[in-house]
Amino acid sequence: MGCYPSKARKQFPGHEDPVTLASQTAFSVSEVEALFELFKSISSSVIDDGLINKEEFQLALFKNRKKENLFANRLYSSFLSCIYVGKMIFDLFDVKRKGVIDFGDFVRSLNVFHPNAPEEDKIDFSFKLYDLDSTGFIERHEVKQMLIALLCESEMKLADETIEIILDKASFC
């Protein structure tokens, strides 16, 4: 186990022992410690309070190093879709519903992306990600919002008509 300063507990609300987190997730202790470094970086990007708020989360999620501002030349509706999806992902990480993500929530939420995480957890997370309205169904407008959000993160541009054709070919309940 690597160095893990005791003062981190005082600086970071919701801090949990890396050994405990490793035992509850698919991460090793060293991976949890590396995640702590990432957490510190994200949680101090706007407000240095040891918690990740929505703005910090969205900055980390939608950062594009090739461009200073990813959204500068995008359509306003695409921008809103990206922000909306970022908020939905934030809500999946904010398990305590406090409007912030602490270190324990951060590690447990990232666990779903670990190669050794249970497939059922990955499926559940994916469904919740697309079920933007939390209705238990993935509806046409939700797929459209996610498609627009994915496009705003890529270099690919599709005309509105092309997006509608793609959606028309998908079947919805």
Side-chain angles (χ1 to χ4, degrees):
M1 180 168 60
C3 284
Y4 209 73
S6 61
K7 73 175 193 169
R9 286 186 179 92
K10 295 176 187 171
Q11 279 186 303
F12 291 86
H15 172 269
E16 295 182 44
D17 178 59
V19 175
T20 303
L21 285 170
S23 72
Q24 297 172 352
T25 64
F27 294 113
S28 68
V29 173
S30 62
E31 288 171 326
V32 172
E33 290 174 342
L35 286 173
F36 183 67
E37 294 305 314
L38 175 63
F39 179 84
K40 286 192 309 186
S41 173
I42 295 170
S43 69
S44 64
S45 63
V46 176
I47 302 169
D48 194 4
D49 61 355
L51 298 166
I52 298 174
N53 63 36
K54 287 180 186 178
E55 183 181 1
E56 290 167 329
F57 189 82
Q58 288 179 343
L59 282 172
L61 190 63
F62 294 117
K63 186 195 292 189
N64 184 335
R65 292 189 174 120
K66 292 184 217 169
K67 300 176 185 167
E68 186 174 330
N69 183 348
L70 175 66
F71 306 117
N73 298 317
R74 303 287 183 184
L75 294 172
Y76 187 64
S77 62
S78 295
F79 172 73
L80 291 178
S81 291
C82 289
I83 296 300
Y84 185 64
V85 171
K87 180 193 174 307
M88 292 304 298
I89 296 170
F90 178 88
D91 290 345
L92 291 175
F93 276 62
D94 180 17
V95 295
K96 295 176 188 139
R97 303 290 178 246
K98 290 185 173 188
V100 292
I101 301 167
D102 65 31
F103 180 60
D105 292 343
F106 183 72
V107 173
R108 286 186 188 88
S109 296
L110 284 176
N111 185 59
V112 74
F113 299 105
H114 194 284
N116 296 334
E119 188 173 311
E120 185 177 310
D121 292 351
K122 293 173 186 281
I123 292 168
D124 185 51
F125 182 87
S126 297
F127 185 85
K128 288 177 182 176
L129 183 63
Y130 281 88
D131 184 16
L132 301 173
D133 298 338
S134 301
T135 60
F137 298 94
I138 299 173
E139 300 169 80
R140 186 181 204 279
H141 71 277
E142 293 167 322
V143 174
K144 183 176 183 175
Q145 285 179 323
M146 289 299 289
L147 181 57
I148 290 170
L150 291 170
L151 288 171
C152 84
E153 275 298 296
S154 73
E155 297 298 319
M156 191 171 167
K157 295 178 184 175
L158 295 179
D160 289 340
E161 300 83 32
T162 305
I163 292 172
E164 291 300 325
I165 290 169
I166 291 169
L167 292 169
D168 288 344
K169 296 210 181 264
S171 63
F172 296 95
C173 297

